Each structure stands twice: as C-alpha cells, then as structure tokens.
C-alpha cells in the first residue's frame, strides 16, 4: 500500500539502535539491548531516530507494523532506556536554578536584529531555503498540537480549561480546513513539497528529531506534565514574532498564499494564546501544584536549548 495520511512508512535506520528497532518492527530481527542506549550519543542520529520511531507508534504508527507494538513491554523497556539517556543529557545541559519569572522574561525579549532562522529567512530566504525549512518542520507541524493534548487529563481547573481553549484553536476551532496541521500541509503544497504525514522523516536532521521527541517525552509521562506546560509556553510565547518574520519571508520569496497564511494565522492566534498560557495554564497549574515550578522552568529551558541547536544546524548549512 502506498504512503498516505494513515500509513507512514518505516524510515531508513541511522545506526545499530535504530536499525535493530526498525528491523524488529519489520519482523526481521530482535529488539536492541536496552543497555546499548547508555553508550549512545544522546543527541545523535541513531538514538534520536530510534526514540522517534518508538514514539510514532503512539501517533499514526507505520505501514505493515502491528498496532500491538505500541504497548509491547519489551519495546517499552528499550524506549525507557532511550528516554533516560536523552532526559539525563537535557537536565545536564540546560541551566539550573533559574526562576520562572526570569525565563519567561527571557522569552519575551527579542534581539535587536531579530536573529535566528526567521530573521535569516526574512532577509535572505529563497524558495530553496523555505522548502528545506518546511521539510524539517513538517515532522512537528503535520501533527501540530497532538503531543500537547496528552497533558489535558493530567491538569485540572484553570490550567485544564486554558489548555483546552488553546488546543481548540490549534485544532481549527471545530473546522477541519482550519486545523493547523492542515494549514501546514497547504503551505507545503504551495512550496511544491509532498504533504503526506511522515514523508520527510528520512530527511529530518537529528536536531529536529530531538525537538519533536522532547514534546512526546514530556507529553507521555504524567510526572513530566510541568515540563510539557513549560514547553508549550515557550512555543506560544515565541511564536508570534517569529511567525511575523516567516510570513514576510514567504511573501518575499513568492511562496504562495497558503504558505503566507500559515504564519499570518499564527501571528494573530499565538499573540492571544500567549496570554492564556501565562495567566491560565501556567498560573493555574502552579496555584494547584506549586512544587511543579522547577519542572515548568525545565520545559522552557530545554525547549530553548533544542531550538538553539536546530537553529545553529540550519544556519550553518545555509551559511556554507
């Protein structure tokens, strides 16, 4: 059966961990030894792809892979080892001891020159750059808001209501044609790219895999619900100014109306979402569970760390 929205194909492996895991799902070899995860580069292609594939079983899965693998105990043991390696590295590499007020204030400060990928694309972006950027971002945007939905049953009161309100907007406010994942597929079509879910997984760089994996990691574990809220806050607070630059980049390169619309929609929507996330989701959560503040901070700083790695990777490639 050909690839479509319901049956992404298994990707090519990138090393022994991902090779064994993908081979097992394809019924060709045993699962990898969980101990091997502790020797792998936590940010490397092999571990990140293996983790991405194991998480994808909780989304749409893969063509020809039995749905029962989603909760297979032996596979979950391997996934836990991969997660531990990744999470340990994140906790080691992001700043510790920061206050929530400080990290939120940092998110609100824009560099004088804009900086980063959105500014590069606004100033220098060609259709080639925009296509590459969209291919990478498709690993998240074609399932935009899905990882965050897992936190809803783990919240209550104001935090739950605020999160549900933002998610409702992300899922199109009840209109299938306005679901943000659908709008991104329209953007990709304007850029002449394939729009099938998972089509560009083989092209996804390890930095993009790690960023998407962090969302799944935080979303799938109740103990990390504070980190998921922090991640969501980082996304919503920084989205509006970045989307403004990206909309200009799409317009300047002649990418097309749907490509431009995806980002103009986020300029308006995420400016509102920022206030809801700060006042209702974060404050509501911490009113109920004040001990989760350090986890919210970790979610924000980990997201900034991973976004920075992705930005460095893209800018280095385009500069060369």
């Amino acid at each position: 059966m050909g690839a479509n929205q319901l049956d992404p194909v298994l990707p090519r492996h990138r090393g022994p961990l991902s090779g064994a895991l993908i081979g097992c799902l394809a019924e060709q070899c045993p699962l990898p030894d969980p101990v091997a995860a502790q020797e792998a580069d936590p940010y490397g292609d092999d571990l990140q792809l293996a983790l991405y594939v194991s998480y994808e079983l909780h989304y749409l899965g893969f063509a020809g892979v039995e749905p029962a693998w989603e909760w297979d105990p032996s596979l979950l043991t391997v996934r836990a080892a991969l997660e531990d390696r990744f999470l340990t590295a994140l906790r080691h590499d992001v700043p510790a001891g920061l206050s929530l007020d400080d990290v939120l204030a940092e998110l609100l400060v824009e560099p004088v020159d804009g900086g980063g990928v959105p500014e590069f694309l606004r100033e220098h972006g060609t259709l080639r750059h925009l296509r590459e950027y969209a291919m990478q971002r498709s690993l998240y945007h074609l399932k935009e808001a899905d990882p965050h939905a897992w936190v809803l049953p783990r919240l209550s009161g104001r935090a739950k209501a605020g999160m549900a309100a933002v998610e409702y907007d992300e899922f199109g406010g009840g209109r299938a044609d306005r679901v943000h994942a659908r709008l991104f597929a329209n953007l990709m079509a304007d850029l002449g790219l394939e729009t099938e879910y998972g089509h560009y997984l083989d092209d996804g760089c390890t930095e993009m895999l790690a960023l998407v994996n962090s969302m799944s990691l935080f979303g799938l574990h109740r103990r990390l619900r504070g980190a998921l809220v922090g991640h969501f806050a980082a996304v919503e607070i920084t989205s509006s100014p970045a989307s403004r630059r990206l909309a200009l980049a799409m317009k300047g390169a002649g990418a097309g109306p749907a490509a431009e619309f995806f980002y103009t929609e986020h300029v308006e929507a995420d400016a509102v979402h920022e206030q809801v996330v700060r006042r209702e989701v974060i404050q509501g959560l911490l009113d109920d569970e004040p001990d989760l503040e350090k986890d919210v901070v970790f979610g924000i700083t980990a997201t900034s760390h991973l976004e920075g790695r992705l930005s460095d990777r893209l800018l280095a490639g385009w500069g060369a």
Side-chain angles (χ1 to χ4, degrees):
M1 182 184 297
N4 57 44
Q5 286 292 92
L6 297 180
D7 61 350
V9 298
L10 283 166
R12 295 188 296 270
H13 74 83
R14 304 187 189 182
L17 281 171
S18 57
L21 178 60
I22 292 166
C24 179
L25 295 177
E27 300 182 350
Q28 295 173 347
C29 63
L31 281 165
D33 185 344
V35 176
Q38 297 308 310
E39 302 300 322
D41 178 354
Y43 299 113
D45 273 314
D46 191 26
L47 184 140
Q48 289 298 329
L49 180 61
L51 191 53
Y52 191 100
V53 169
S54 69
Y55 284 146
E56 202 57 37
L57 299 172
H58 295 290
Y59 294 100
L60 293 186
F62 295 100
V65 175
E66 287 296 325
W69 275 112
E70 179 181 6
W71 297 111
D72 181 83
S74 56
L75 190 148
L76 292 178
T77 298
V78 173
R79 196 191 81 187
L82 300 170
E83 289 176 325
D84 180 69
R85 180 68 169 153
F86 182 37
L87 185 58
T88 298
L90 279 178
R91 292 196 184 281
H92 177 270
D93 293 339
V94 303
L98 301 177
S99 72
L100 179 60
D101 287 342
D102 285 345
V103 296
L104 288 176
E106 180 78 15
L107 292 177
L108 291 168
V109 174
E110 288 191 70
V112 174
D113 63 353
V117 167
E119 184 66 13
F120 175 92
L121 293 174
R122 185 180 74 86
E123 291 287 339
H124 310 291
T126 65
L127 287 176
R128 177 181 70 83
H129 295 123
L130 296 175
R131 288 184 183 114
E132 182 179 351
Y133 183 68
M135 288 165 59
Q136 295 295 331
R137 284 287 178 180
S138 71
L139 299 189
Y140 166 59
H141 282 306
L142 291 182
K143 58 168 167 259
E144 186 168 343
D146 289 351
H148 303 122
W150 278 316
V151 83
L152 283 168
R154 291 149 184 189
L155 303 176
S156 61
R158 286 167 56 203
K160 190 186 195 83
M163 191 76 185
V166 175
E167 286 284 271
Y168 182 68
D169 284 349
E170 300 286 348
F171 291 128
R175 291 179 52 186
D177 63 320
R178 295 298 292 262
V179 172
H180 284 188
R182 178 69 260 165
L183 296 180
F184 194 80
N186 295 342
L187 172 151
M188 296 180 74
D190 259 5
L191 289 171
L193 299 172
E194 298 294 333
T195 62
E196 291 89 352
Y197 179 92
H199 181 85
Y200 291 106
L201 178 52
D202 280 327
D203 299 288
C205 64
T206 184
E207 292 83 2
M208 191 67 224
L209 294 177
L211 184 59
V212 181
N213 283 340
S214 70
M215 303 179 205
S216 300
L217 170 63
F218 297 158
L220 281 166
H221 292 274
R222 187 172 64 85
R223 65 187 173 89
L224 296 173
R225 62 195 178 280
L228 191 283
V229 166
H231 166 81
F232 194 59
V235 170
E236 296 298 327
I237 291 172
T238 59
S239 174
S240 187
S243 293
R244 188 176 300 109
R245 293 186 175 89
L246 290 166
L248 291 171
M250 294 291 171
K251 182 176 182 178
E260 188 178 343
F261 179 75
F262 177 81
Y263 289 110
T264 57
E265 167 75 4
H266 280 72
V267 171
E268 299 174 8
D270 291 344
V272 176
H273 293 171
E274 174 203 332
Q275 297 300 314
V276 177
V277 171
R278 285 168 62 93
R279 297 174 181 176
E280 302 301 322
V281 181
I282 293 179
Q283 195 56 56
L285 174 67
L286 297 183
D287 284 349
D288 291 341
E289 301 182 272
D291 58 315
L292 290 183
E293 179 174 345
K294 65 181 184 300
D295 291 336
V296 176
V297 170
F298 171 65
I300 294 172
T301 54
T303 302
S304 297
H305 173 69
L306 294 170
E307 285 280 9
R309 287 174 54 86
L310 176 62
S311 179
D312 290 345
R313 169 70 176 263
L314 292 174
L315 293 174
W318 292 335

